[in-house]
Amino acid sequence: MGVLRLQLPTDPRWVNIVEKNIEEILTDHAWCEQKAATNAITIIINNSEYQDLVKDLLALAKEEIDHFDQVHNIIIKRGLKLGRERKDDYVNELYQYMKRSVDGSRVSGLVERLLFSAMIEARSCERFKVLSENIQDEELAVFYRELMESEAGHYTTFITYARKYGEGIDVEKRWREWLEFEESIISNYGKNETIHG
């Protein structure tokens, strides 16, 4: 799938599931944006010595919170309610894979967290593209097209910093392993009205 290098595309029929419960997809999406902002802040906290990383991830965190606000505004405008935070099994599987892969060194921890983040952004970008091209709701089609472009930028930010600071690590080889792992789990998803579900 082009620049994202994802191995398995989302079946466009997933959008048919989404359209049956717009409130659910919007709630899940809002919380995905909040978690993305929190993730960026966590990386900053643990790697504050990298000034350029801090600067770029601060901007990214602000953008993710802005996206949360945008989704929340759509929810309010439509007379819907922001539900409670949802568990994201897909992200949890990626997180467990990341935890198993860290060798205890700081650089390994940083690279793994950046690749974990890049993977989530890549799949989110791909899901937003599928939504923008297949959803009947014109407002949401435009909205997801705009967000798709933003998520692609976030993916690039994480991959770039993994390559920059992954001294002593074959980041390209590691990214291929991440792509293979993601392919092995993604076929279990795309069956629910959530961004990754």
Side-chain angles (χ1 to χ4, degrees):
M1 276 173 280
V3 70
L4 299 174
R5 292 166 57 189
L6 295 172
Q7 305 298 297
L8 194 63
T10 295
D11 186 330
R13 288 176 297 183
W14 164 69
V15 178
N16 299 334
I17 298 168
V18 166
E19 288 178 318
K20 290 175 183 163
N21 195 343
I22 294 295
E23 186 169 26
E24 180 63 24
I25 189 77
L26 290 173
T27 285
D28 181 71
H29 179 192
W31 290 116
C32 284
E33 299 292 357
Q34 176 271 320
K35 289 175 207 169
T38 301
N39 178 59
I41 295 296
T42 299
I43 296 172
I44 290 168
I45 289 166
N46 293 329
N47 303 279
S48 57
E49 66 272 28
Y50 302 113
Q51 288 184 347
D52 54 350
L53 177 72
V54 170
K55 188 169 187 298
D56 285 346
L57 290 195
L58 273 172
L60 189 150
K62 288 176 187 174
E63 197 167 283
E64 299 287 21
I65 285 297
D66 181 59
H67 292 167
F68 180 98
D69 186 41
Q70 288 179 50
V71 179
H72 189 232
N73 285 337
I74 291 172
I75 290 169
I76 292 167
K77 187 171 100 176
R78 292 176 176 226
L80 305 174
K81 290 242 182 343
L82 175 65
R84 302 292 294 172
E85 182 182 347
R86 302 316 197 230
K87 183 179 171 193
D88 192 326
D89 292 327
Y90 167 80
V91 170
N92 288 337
E93 284 198 64
L94 294 180
Y95 183 78
Q96 291 306 316
Y97 179 68
M98 175 187 70
K99 273 181 67 175
R100 289 191 302 271
S101 304
V102 174
D103 68 12
S105 70
R106 284 196 48 136
V107 68
S108 168
L110 173 58
V111 167
E112 286 300 311
R113 189 72 183 225
L114 291 169
L115 294 180
F116 161 78
S117 305
M119 182 56 68
I120 296 167
E121 296 289 349
R123 182 56 70 181
S124 298
C125 178
E126 188 261 354
R127 288 282 167 97
F128 291 167
K129 182 176 191 293
V130 172
L131 278 169
S132 72
E133 292 173 350
N134 295 282
I135 201 163
Q136 297 300 307
D137 187 309
E138 284 186 30
E139 179 190 27
L140 292 181
V142 171
F143 178 62
Y144 281 111
R145 177 78 193 175
E146 291 168 356
L147 287 194
M148 176 194 77
E149 293 164 7
S150 176
E151 299 296 302
H154 296 171
Y155 155 80
T156 302
T157 296
F158 288 122
I159 283 283
T160 300
Y161 278 111
R163 290 173 179 145
K164 180 171 184 177
Y165 291 119
E167 190 177 336
I169 296 172
D170 187 341
V171 175
E172 293 311 308
K173 177 176 179 285
R174 189 67 194 119
W175 182 237
R176 286 193 299 274
E177 291 167 357
W178 267 96
L179 289 165
E180 287 168 14
F181 176 75
E182 202 265 356
E183 181 185 13
S184 77
I185 67 166
I186 195 61
S187 60
N188 299 321
Y189 298 95
K191 301 173 179 76
N192 296 309
E193 58 281 313
T194 56
I195 296 298
H196 302 122

